[in-house]
Amino acid sequence: MDYKRFVEEQIDEIRRLVGNDLAINALSGGVDSSVVTVLGHRALGEKLKTVFIDNGLMRAGEPERVVTLFERMGIPVRLISAKREFLDALKGLTDPEEKRQAITKTFYSQVFGRLVREWGAKFLLHGTILTDIEETVAGIKRQHNILTQIGIDPEKEFGYLIIEPLKALRKDGVREVAKVLGLPRDITERIPFPGPALATRIVGEVTEERLATVRAATAIVEEELKGTEAFQYMAVLLNDRATGIREGKREFGQIIVVRCIQSEDARTAVPVELPWEKLKRLCERITSLPGVNRCLYDLTPKPPATIEYV
Ligand code: XMP
């Protein structure tokens, strides 16, 4: 495929479809939404409003990092702080499916939906890729029907359209387009990070305090394992506690799991045989976090486990 030509065609097409109206898109910093942001911006300039919705579930410094990175490329991104709305929606929930649904609903119906209406945007630019469509058809993923999710009936709201410039590409194609667009390696080579963010790595209730623990452990894991050839690595906070001793006193502490896997396409995965020294260092650093007194390494392949815990 001629990716340069693909870029030109998509820019023309977005421009033609949007005309003099306004479009909106949500950037997460992942490669798909980043590519859509750059394509959309080149096509529409100020007629595209790009938002980064901070759901409070991100890694340390992530919202600011992504916004700054795009600002350096000359693309303004509005950082929308919605932490309270997401935390309120997650309050008291422990069931994994309920937690995921609460996040999706808060994103589309509450926060993003409100912005679309406030700004009177007529078009949504969305980073759907071919794999998303195939997995939806195969019943692996839930349908990405944004219009319904934000409570807009496309029949009533005549003229409202979703534009999906990447729907003919798979991940490798999107990475090629990202290179043509000159996106930095930070984005093109970023390890996968799920939409529901750190909530997929907290077993049990998501609270501010528990988020702080998993966020700190995540920073350690990412720092220590950066540069390994792994497909993905993460820290997970379990919902149980274990007895330990700190400064001569008994402590009933938190348990963090480190997971580091190799995979081709995330459909199957095997644990990476990390050097013992690396594991010991991870354990030392993680158990020095306040209240954490156990660190475990997950040896389970996918299947039977999934990659994330929630
Ligand atoms: P699982 O846990 O299903 O994950 O083995 C497979 C891959 O998908 C990522 N993942 C997600 N990505 N939204 C995303 O954008 C999600 O809800 C989601 N859940 C899992 C996961 O990180 C892994 O790479």
Side-chain angles (χ1 to χ4, degrees), residues 223-225 228 274-283:
E223 206 179 295
E224 290 290 332
L225 298 184
T228 52
L274 289 176
W276 193 245
E277 283 308 315
K278 185 52 95 179
L279 288 169
K280 280 203 298 193
R281 169 137 186 93
L282 276 165
C283 178

Side-chain angles (χ1 to χ4, degrees), residues 88-109:
D88 285 350
L90 285 162
K91 203 169 180 350
L93 300 184
T94 53
D95 179 80
E97 228 10 65
E98 284 179 14
K99 280 158 67 179
R100 279 174 165 274
Q101 272 169 18
I103 294 168
T104 309
K105 206 170 147 224
T106 307
F107 187 91
Y108 287 114
S109 318

Side-chain angles (χ1 to χ4, degrees), residues 231 259 261-264 266-271 300-303 307:
F231 178 85
R259 183 146 173 79
I261 53 106
Q262 199 45 271
S263 174
E264 284 296 320
R267 279 191 252 198
T268 60
V270 289
T300 329
K302 173 182 180 177
I307 295 173

